Amino acid sequence: MSGSLVLLQETTITSPTASVTLTCISDSFNVYQVIINDCVGENETNFNMRVTTSGTAQTDSNYDTASRVFKSFSGFGTTTDENEAQFKINSAVGSDSNESTNHIIYLFNFPNSSEFSFYTNESIKLNASGQAEAFMGGGMKTTAEANDGVNFFFSSGDIETGSFQLFALVK
């Protein structure tokens, strides 16, 4: 993919912050990619994502998600959420030694006001015991609206550290 990605926005968190918002999405590109590296939360809670419209995170109950969860310590499972107020993109990520989460997220249809915005997510996290847990899945915002970005936050507490990058895929 070298040469086909254009870095639009980058944020590095080094002190606690409530959320991170990336809002450089326009109709100039069809597909966007978000890379999250070494994200750590203050508390042991879910890591979530919302879409933004005019830079504001949408908090309605129109978020549907499905993921397959692979655990190095206990096999696999499935998670699904319908009509939620956010996408759950990883579970129980805290600030214990070794804990962090990393993601590659693709965003589709975001600037299109006549389609649902949807995403795919590949993530890996280390839990407090240093064991691996991977999520693979995606979801959609079941409202036909143009979205200009994404907002990341934990269910409870701040984002302690992490690197967030938004890329556009060249047409």
Side-chain angles (χ1 to χ4, degrees):
M1 271 200 215
S2 179
S4 62
L5 294 176
V6 176
L7 179 62
L8 300 176
Q9 191 173 359
E10 184 171 22
T11 300
T12 300
I13 303 303
T14 57
S15 61
T17 187
S19 68
V20 171
T21 302
L22 305 172
T23 57
C24 288
I25 294 174
S26 70
D27 59 6
S28 298
F29 301 97
N30 292 328
V31 179
Y32 293 83
Q33 181 186 61
V34 176
I35 304 284
I36 301 171
N37 187 43
D38 201 23
C39 183
V40 175
E42 177 182 16
N43 299 320
E44 192 83 15
T45 63
N46 295 334
F47 189 49
N48 303 305
M49 179 176 78
R50 288 186 173 129
V51 302
T52 65
T53 302
S54 300
T56 302
Q58 301 302 292
T59 59
D60 54 18
S61 296
N62 295 318
Y63 292 86
D64 295 350
T65 307
S67 296
R68 193 73 164 163
V69 183
F70 303 89
K71 299 178 181 182
S72 65
F73 52 94
S74 69
F76 60 90
T78 302
T79 65
T80 60
D81 294 299
E82 187 175 18
N83 299 323
E84 295 292 325
Q86 69 278 321
F87 297 123
K88 180 175 79 173
I89 59 173
N90 217 319
S91 63
V93 181
S95 61
D96 290 341
S97 180
N98 298 324
E99 280 191 277
S100 70
T101 185
N102 301 279
H103 298 259
I104 299 173
I105 301 168
Y106 287 95
L107 308 173
F108 304 92
N109 290 344
F110 269 59
N112 189 336
S113 63
S114 61
E115 298 284 338
F116 293 164
S117 294
F118 65 96
Y119 77 97
T120 61
N121 177 39
E122 297 175 15
S123 69
I124 185 77
K125 79 169 192 176
L126 291 176
N127 65 20
S129 301
Q131 299 165 314
E133 190 172 324
F135 272 60
M136 295 184 77
M140 70 175 58
K141 175 77 162 52
T142 57
T143 305
E145 64 187 9
N147 300 120
D148 63 357
V150 286
N151 172 260
F152 298 96
F153 64 99
F154 283 97
S155 297
S156 172
D158 289 335
I159 299 170
E160 296 280 311
T161 62
S163 170
F164 298 76
Q165 297 175 306
L166 174 64
F167 294 90
L169 274 68
V170 176
K171 294 180 182 180

